[in-house]
Amino acid sequence: MKGIVLAGGHGTRLAPLTDAVSKQLLPVYDKPVIHYPLATLLLAGIRDVVIISTPRDLPLIRNLLGSGEQLGIRITYREQVRPEGIGQAFLIAEDDIEGSPVCLILGDNFFYGHELSNMLQKSAKLQRGANVYAYQVADPERYGVLEIDPQGRAICIEEKPNRPKSNWAVTGLYFYDETVVSVAKSIRPSTRGELEITDINRHYIDKGELTVTRLGRGFAWLDTGTFDSLLDASLFVKTIEVRQGTKISCIEEIAFRQGFIDERQLLALAEKYRNSRYGQYLGSLISSELS
């Protein structure tokens, strides 16, 4: 399976922070925003990733992450000149993902919870249909809302309904089979001129092929699209990292534990950041493995 991080948009809700800096490079405590969705793909075992962003921001992101070789993965970069809906991501990345199942994650989303990696790796084995992740929210009228049958299949999906049929909101994490590119090509732009991910999901619902992975208690789904949510995400990460002495969404650690890189490669990454606590943490991983 291949992965897409859709990191486009102009970040206007975060202006003036984003007047000169990509919202994907803003900090969530000790890491840039884009590390968090990338970490989710790595936890799923995905090693071939396409990052989509604006012409202005793409060089900055490329400068941060490079080819991905240092993480034992491959990163390809594609421009989104104009934001025309989440579904546009499949058309932009068509040449990179054609013929393969794909996982799409929005660039301002991240996930945390016990056994999350096992759930993601199970989803990454998908060969037919689609699988979306859902999260219980107190205000479902603000989201795309799912009605789910006892077998975990989606019956319907409604976008920001006045009378929600459930409180299960669709998150920014989606798994699709290899037909998703042709599905994206078949849908019409909405009244706001966008290829809506909801319409793609409805296609799979109509075929009875959209399953739902529900993130219950013990899981966190956060985004970083507003001032408040960016601060909330930072405080969440800080609280857990300081209390436990571990790191959330540390892409170097995940790559190491997934077997994408070895101790020598991890040591080189630790040396790169040797003057920060981040680099010292990476170095401590090697020490703990040897003890």
Side-chain angles (χ1 to χ4, degrees):
M1 176 169 281
K2 298 183 179 180
I4 298 174
V5 179
L6 181 56
H10 300 294
T12 53
R13 290 184 298 168
L14 287 169
L17 294 178
T18 49
D19 283 353
V21 178
S22 166
K23 68 178 181 178
Q24 316 301 333
L25 301 181
L26 293 174
V28 172
Y29 188 47
D30 57 354
K31 294 173 287 293
V33 166
I34 199 167
H35 275 215
Y36 293 85
L38 180 59
T40 300
L41 297 182
L42 297 184
L43 286 171
I46 294 171
R47 303 180 68 171
D48 197 336
V49 177
V50 181
I51 294 178
I52 299 173
S53 192
T54 67
R56 184 199 77 166
D57 295 338
L58 206 60
L60 301 174
I61 297 172
R62 183 186 285 113
N63 187 56
L64 173 70
L65 298 173
S67 67
E69 181 181 4
Q70 75 280 9
L71 299 172
I73 66 174
R74 176 191 176 201
I75 300 177
T76 304
Y77 298 90
R78 299 296 179 198
E79 286 188 357
Q80 184 184 42
V81 178
R82 293 179 302 277
E84 296 177 345
I86 296 173
Q88 186 190 28
F90 302 111
L91 306 186
I92 294 172
E94 178 180 3
D95 292 340
D96 306 293
I97 64 172
E98 186 65 42
S100 298
V102 61
C103 172
L104 168 66
I105 186 168
L106 303 186
D108 63 357
N109 277 219
F110 84 88
F111 300 81
Y112 176 79
H114 181 61
E115 296 295 325
L116 177 63
S117 183
N118 289 339
M119 297 170 68
L120 293 169
Q121 289 179 34
K122 179 180 178 181
S123 296
K125 294 178 182 178
L126 178 144
Q127 292 296 321
R128 181 173 179 177
N131 176 237
V132 298
Y133 278 53
Y135 193 79
Q136 286 185 301
V137 295
D139 48 354
E141 63 278 358
R142 294 180 53 231
Y143 301 89
V145 176
L146 290 160
E147 184 178 3
I148 307 167
D149 70 14
Q151 287 71 47
R153 289 190 299 268
I155 299 173
C156 73
I157 182 171
E158 296 178 295
E159 194 65 33
K160 299 180 180 179
N162 292 324
R163 297 181 178 179
K165 295 181 179 178
S166 79
N167 62 346
W168 288 102
V170 182
T171 72
L173 178 63
Y174 318 86
F175 292 81
Y176 297 103
D177 64 18
E178 62 184 26
T179 68
V180 69
V181 172
S182 61
V183 173
K185 288 181 176 180
S186 72
I187 65 173
R188 295 177 178 273
S190 65
T191 54
R192 58 180 184 170
E194 297 189 356
L195 296 179
E196 306 287 355
I197 196 69
T198 296
D199 290 335
I200 291 176
N201 289 333
R202 284 198 182 107
H203 170 89
Y204 286 98
I205 289 175
D206 292 342
K207 294 176 64 180
E209 293 182 348
L210 181 68
T211 59
V212 182
T213 297
R214 284 173 277 197
L215 298 172
R217 294 186 180 185
F219 288 92
W221 167 47
L222 302 107
D223 69 75
T224 58
T226 66
F227 297 122
D228 288 342
S229 61
L230 184 65
L231 177 59
D232 289 343
S234 292
L235 292 174
F236 177 86
V237 172
K238 177 182 183 292
T239 299
I240 293 180
E241 291 192 354
V242 171
R243 178 65 63 90
Q244 295 186 346
T246 59
K247 291 205 173 294
I248 293 177
S249 297
C250 176
I251 55 177
E252 296 87 357
E253 178 180 8
I254 296 170
F256 176 59
R257 298 198 185 282
Q258 293 280 59
F260 299 167
I261 60 175
D262 57 25
E263 291 180 358
R264 177 186 57 80
Q265 293 166 300
L266 181 61
L267 184 61
L269 293 169
E271 177 64 18
K272 177 181 178 181
Y273 303 121
R274 65 183 182 276
N275 291 328
S276 73
R277 286 188 298 174
Y278 193 88
Q280 292 159 16
Y281 174 78
L282 294 180
S284 73
L285 298 175
I286 300 171
S287 301
S288 64
E289 288 291 317
L290 295 176
S291 61

